[in-house]
Amino acid sequence: MVYFDTLKGWLSWQENSHPLTIDLGLERVAKVYQALNPSEIKPLTITVAGTNGKGSCVAYFEAIYRAQGYRVGAYTSPHILKYNERIKIDGKPVSDGLICNAFERIESVRDHTSLSYFEFGTLAALDIFSRANLDIQLLEVGLGGRLDAVNIVEPDVAVISSIGIDHVAWLGETREAIGYEKAGIFRASVPAIVGDPIPPKSLVQIAEEKKACFYALGKDFGYAKRQQGWEWFSGEKRISHLPEPALKGEHQYRNASAVIMAIDQLAHRLPVNEQSIRTGLENVELPGRFQLLEGDISVLLDVGHNPEAVRTLVEYLTQNFPNKRIHAIFSMMKDKDIAEVLRIMNPVVYDWFFAPLTNIRAATETLMREIFSQQGMGNVSFGYTGFVDAFAHAKKQANTGDLLLVFGSFFLVSDCLAEFQNGR
């Protein structure tokens, strides 16, 4: 049995203790979970999966339920600045001490079962939440759904925000294959709520096979923009005069609508009034999603890293920053569809500045040069040491009123926010 005095020590060990960075499957993590906490009654649980929008949905749930006065736990990934962001209670990251204590309890029952970095974190969140007297816990799926560690917990509502092409090596190359994996969080007689306006057939099929209570955007619930705010509806139910979501982009109306549908399905167990929904929509916060840092040369941050996400980003840029010169500080993981992302983004980007990352999964400058060349794109600058260097050069090329866009990776946005937090 290992033991560390610091969170940094635990995390460093976890990063190197398991042979695979991503190791999908429930048998190992479920075995440890049962040994860790076999008799505790779990909090009311909402599990959220999806290609894009998972984090936004969790943020809406958290803001609305907290506005109602409930005690809320939220588990998300990845983090942007600190690991503790992954495990929050009542909107605040838990302390290093709480996480270290949870890791120690996990290690005491793990025996010889090997766990990945993500599995350790999932078990720590569940252990901490089980001791926190919560009204509800919100669990964001890390990858896929069917074989993700979060899926060891039986949800009271399952939400899928969207289905797009991403993580093809693990989930498949089509929306149908990916939909099958995401639908793994559905359960018999449990509400299964989908915010994707065109859900793949596999999603609907799995819901039917499992006898889940399936609710789809545009069929069973929806939204309509009005002159004053917007309206959510499901059958004869209506909630009118809703404020524009504090998270920006047309897709956020879809995310918020799916969240309201889930809240409605749980209302018999956890009632929420309309004013709390309005307050939550107005106050929700989520770093790195269309996050604007205003100034003479404003900076927009977005963690979008797949074709579906950047199509939404292009739509947002076109609507909100028309006729502005956009300078993109950009990096991506090498397993992403980089060429397609560049193709989608290039029409709205004036010039590009590649910021190399130290992460082993990140695309190298050599790879990026090759992809830009294959795309016939010459408006790109290389040779920078990292984000700070690339950002500084981009800023020198920008004029007052231009926009600096930082996007393509959680890690890049993390580097950016760390610099701004330090006042640089």
Side-chain angles (χ1 to χ4, degrees):
M1 176 175 153
V2 300
Y3 173 81
F4 299 93
D5 289 321
T6 65
L7 179 57
K8 182 179 180 180
W10 277 107
L11 296 177
S12 296
W13 173 72
Q14 289 168 16
E15 286 175 341
N16 299 294
S17 66
H18 192 70
L20 299 174
T21 303
I22 297 173
D23 192 4
L24 298 179
L26 302 183
E27 183 178 350
R28 290 173 298 100
V29 68
K31 178 182 177 182
V32 179
Y33 180 59
Q34 288 301 314
L36 182 69
N37 196 13
S39 60
E40 291 285 346
I41 299 174
K42 74 172 180 64
L44 201 65
T45 301
I46 298 177
T47 300
V48 183
T51 304
N52 298 302
K54 301 188 296 291
S56 296
C57 286
V58 171
Y60 285 123
F61 279 123
E62 189 176 25
I64 291 169
Y65 278 122
R66 290 190 63 220
Q68 185 66 40
Y70 291 121
R71 186 164 168 80
V72 183
Y75 173 58
T76 59
S77 64
H79 60 277
I80 290 185
L81 292 175
K82 289 186 67 178
Y83 183 89
N84 310 57
E85 297 166 18
R86 296 176 179 230
I87 307 173
K88 293 193 293 181
I89 294 176
D90 283 346
K92 296 180 180 179
V94 301
S95 67
D96 286 12
L98 274 180
I99 300 174
C100 288
N101 289 341
F103 285 154
E104 188 176 350
R105 286 190 290 270
I106 293 164
E107 181 63 13
S108 71
V109 300
R110 183 175 64 86
D111 197 18
H112 296 294
T113 303
S114 182
L115 296 172
S116 70
Y117 178 89
F118 180 77
E119 289 166 342
F120 264 107
T122 302
L123 289 169
L126 296 174
D127 180 68
I128 290 168
F129 291 163
S130 74
R131 300 165 184 270
N133 193 30
L134 300 179
D135 294 300
I136 189 165
Q137 63 181 4
L138 311 169
L139 306 180
E140 179 189 344
V141 168
L143 180 62
R146 182 174 64 93
L147 299 176
D148 187 86
V150 164
N151 205 30
I152 61 176
V153 178
E154 296 294 310
D156 297 284
V157 171
V159 176
I160 293 180
S161 53
S162 68
I163 302 293
I165 306 298
D166 201 1
H167 300 295
V168 295
W170 294 278
L171 306 181
E173 298 182 354
T174 66
R175 291 183 79 240
E176 292 298 328
I178 293 169
Y180 171 80
E181 294 296 332
K182 305 285 186 189
I185 67 171
F186 294 166
R187 298 293 194 277
S189 303
V190 170
I193 294 160
V194 177
D196 192 308
I198 310 175
K201 293 178 181 177
S202 59
L203 209 62
V204 181
Q205 180 183 343
I206 296 299
E208 291 176 350
E209 289 176 1
K210 291 191 171 187
K211 294 182 170 55
C213 303
F214 189 75
Y215 301 94
L217 177 69
K219 180 182 177 184
D220 304 295
F221 66 96
Y223 70 94
K225 291 185 177 180
R226 304 300 185 197
Q227 195 166 9
Q228 295 293 327
W230 62 289
E231 178 181 71
W232 174 89
F233 53 84
S234 176
E236 296 184 359
K237 296 179 181 177
R238 292 285 190 278
I239 304 177
S240 302
H241 306 296
L242 291 169
E244 178 184 349
L247 304 182
K248 302 305 178 185
E250 181 68 28
H251 62 299
Q252 295 297 353
Y253 289 93
R254 298 192 292 271
N255 291 333
S257 295
V259 165
I260 295 172
M261 185 67 190
I263 288 170
D264 180 70
Q265 289 298 303
L266 278 181
H268 63 292
R269 300 177 65 181
L270 216 60
V272 174
N273 61 43
E274 292 184 7
Q275 185 52 47
S276 292
I277 292 174
R278 295 188 181 95
T279 300
L281 291 173
E282 289 179 317
N283 295 336
V284 64
E285 295 180 352
L286 190 61
R289 278 72 164 185
F290 293 3
Q291 182 180 356
L292 185 64
L293 307 175
E294 296 189 87
D296 292 338
I297 302 173
S298 294
V299 181
L300 183 71
L301 312 178
D302 190 57
V303 297
H305 52 264
N306 55 54
E308 180 187 46
V310 297
R311 285 190 188 97
T312 303
L313 177 56
V314 167
E315 179 185 30
Y316 180 72
L317 291 168
T318 303
Q319 291 176 353
N320 293 275
F321 301 95
N323 306 316
K324 279 188 179 290
R325 289 203 316 177
I326 298 173
H327 310 270
I329 300 95
F330 164 81
S331 200
M332 285 185 75
M333 298 296 104
K334 60 190 175 186
D335 60 344
K336 303 300 179 183
D337 191 348
I338 300 172
E340 182 66 4
V341 166
L342 295 183
R343 185 192 69 78
I344 295 167
M345 288 296 300
N346 198 48
V348 299
V349 172
Y350 178 76
D351 52 7
W352 299 80
F353 299 81
F354 174 66
L357 297 170
T358 57
N359 189 288
I360 192 171
R361 292 176 49 219
T364 63
E365 182 171 314
T366 300
L367 175 61
M368 291 305 307
R369 283 182 180 274
E370 181 181 344
I371 295 174
F372 269 96
S373 176
Q374 290 172 349
Q375 294 292 305
M377 295 166 56
N379 54 339
V380 56
S381 298
F382 292 101
Y384 306 116
T385 57
F387 167 76
V388 173
D389 192 17
F391 185 85
H393 280 81
K395 194 170 184 178
K396 285 180 182 178
Q397 298 300 315
N399 299 321
T400 299
D402 287 359
L403 180 71
L404 296 176
L405 172 66
V406 180
F407 88 102
S409 166
F410 274 89
F411 298 102
L412 187 67
V413 169
S414 174
D415 288 349
C416 180
L417 284 174
E419 288 301 310
F420 275 88
Q421 192 177 73
N422 292 329
R424 297 174 188 167

